C-alpha cells in the first residue's frame, strides 16, 4: 500500500533537511505546516486501520463464539438460551432475535455487499483481513516515522529562528537566558542532523 513511494519520500526528506538551512522564515513556516499536515494525515490513516482491526477482531471472536455454541435444532432438547440473541440494526440499536442456523453467516465485504459463508469461512475471512491490515499498518509506520522526525527537525529549526529573532528585536534584557536556550536547542538540532 504505502511502499511504492517510500524511497522518493525519503529522498525528498533528505533534500529538505539539507536545504532547510537556506530557508527564510516564511518558507520555514510553510514547510512546517506542510510537514504537520502530512504527519496528521498519516496518523489519521493509522488510527483508521487500528479501528478496522479492532472491529474485525471483535467479529472474528464473535464468529468463534458462535461456532462453539450448541445448535438448538441439533440436540434432542432445544436450547433456547443459546438461540436467543440481540441483532444489531444500527451501531446503537439492537432487537431481540432467534438464531435458527449458526452454521451460515453473512459477511460484509464492503460497499454494501454481503456474502453468505460458513462460520469457519467467515472467521477465516476476518483473520485474513486482519493480517492484511496489520501489514498495511506496518508499511505505513515505516513511512510515518521519518516524516515525524522531519517534522520535529523543522519545528526545532523554526523555534531557533523565532528565538533568535526575538532576541534581536527585544534587546538584551532576556539575552543570556535566551542565548542559553538557543545554544541548547542548537545542540539538539545539530545532533538530529546526523540521524
Amino acid at each position: 500500500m504505502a511502499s511504492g513511494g517510500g524511497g522518493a519520500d525519503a529522498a525528498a526528506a533528505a533534500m529538505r533537511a539539507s536545504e532547510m538551512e537556506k530557508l527564510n522564515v516564511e518558507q520555514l513556516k510553510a514547510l512546517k505546516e506542510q510537514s504537520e499536515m502530512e504527519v496528521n494525515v498519516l496518523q489519521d490513516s493509522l488510527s483508521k486501520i487500528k479501528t478496522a482491526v479492532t472491529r474485525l477482531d471483535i467479529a472474528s471472536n464473535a464468529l468463534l463464539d458462535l461456532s462453539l455454541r450448541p445448535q438448538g435444532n441439533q440436540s434432542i432438547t432445544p436450547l433456547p438460551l443459546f438461540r436467543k440473541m440481540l441483532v444489531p440494526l444500527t451501531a446503537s440499536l439492537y432487537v431481540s432475535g432467534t438464531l435458527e442456523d449458526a452454521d451460515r453467516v453473512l459477511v460484509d465485504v464492503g460497499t454494501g455487499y454481503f456474502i453468505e459463508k460458513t462460520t469457519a469461512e467467515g472467521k477465516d475471512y476476518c483473520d485474513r483481513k486482519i493480517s492484511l491490515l496489520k501489514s498495511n499498518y506496518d508499511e505505513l509506520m515505516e513511512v510515518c516515522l521519518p516524516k515525524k522526525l522531519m517534522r520535529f527537525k523543522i519545528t526545532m529549526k523554526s523555534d531557533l529562528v523565532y528565538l533568535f529573532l526575538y532576541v534581536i528585536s527585544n534587546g538584551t534584557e532576556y539575552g543570556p537566558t535566551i542565548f542559553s536556550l538557543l545554544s541548547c536547542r542548537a545542540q539538539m538540532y545539530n545532533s538530529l542532523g546526523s540521524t
Side-chain angles (χ1 to χ4, degrees), residues 61-135:
N61 288 335
L63 288 170
L64 177 64
D65 183 48
L66 189 61
S67 70
L68 297 176
R69 290 182 178 206
Q71 295 287 319
N73 54 2
Q74 290 180 349
S75 63
I76 297 172
T77 59
L79 298 170
L81 291 177
F82 290 106
R83 293 176 55 205
K84 290 189 177 194
M85 62 185 312
L86 292 174
V87 180
L89 294 181
T90 67
S92 61
L93 178 62
Y94 293 82
V95 295
S96 294
T98 304
L99 181 65
E100 294 296 327
D101 182 11
D103 290 332
R104 310 287 301 163
V105 293
L106 290 176
V107 177
D108 182 358
V109 292
T111 62
Y113 289 98
F114 293 85
I115 297 176
E116 187 174 332
K117 293 185 175 280
T118 65
T119 307
E121 290 171 338
K123 181 165 177 16
D124 181 57
Y125 173 82
C126 289
D127 292 343
R128 284 185 288 120
K129 197 78 166 166
I130 289 170
S131 177
L132 174 68
L133 287 172
K134 284 183 178 179
S135 171

Side-chain angles (χ1 to χ4, degrees), residues 41-52:
V41 166
L42 288 170
Q43 286 179 324
D44 185 48
S45 296
L46 289 169
S47 176
K48 288 178 181 177
I49 290 174
K50 276 184 181 179
T51 301

Side-chain angles (χ1 to χ4, degrees), residues 8-58:
D9 288 341
M15 181 183 73
R16 276 195 246 157
S18 65
E19 293 179 358
M20 200 174 6
E21 299 299 323
K22 302 172 189 170
L23 299 178
N24 64 31
V25 176
E26 290 82 22
Q27 292 170 327
L28 194 59
K29 182 179 177 183
L31 184 61
K32 181 180 176 183
E33 289 172 359
Q34 177 187 355
S35 177
E36 286 176 352
M37 186 176 69
E38 288 174 356
V39 169
N40 289 341
V41 166
L42 288 170
Q43 286 179 324
D44 185 48
S45 296
L46 289 169
S47 176
K48 288 178 181 177
I49 290 174
K50 276 184 181 179
T51 301
V53 167
T54 300
R55 290 179 65 200
L56 282 166
D57 195 39
I58 290 169

Side-chain angles (χ1 to χ4, degrees), residues 2 42 46 135-148:
L42 288 170
L46 289 169
S135 171
N136 288 347
Y137 183 88
D138 292 341
E139 288 177 14
L140 205 52
M141 279 299 289
E142 289 177 14
V143 172
C144 190
L145 291 176
K147 288 189 180 284
K148 281 184 173 182

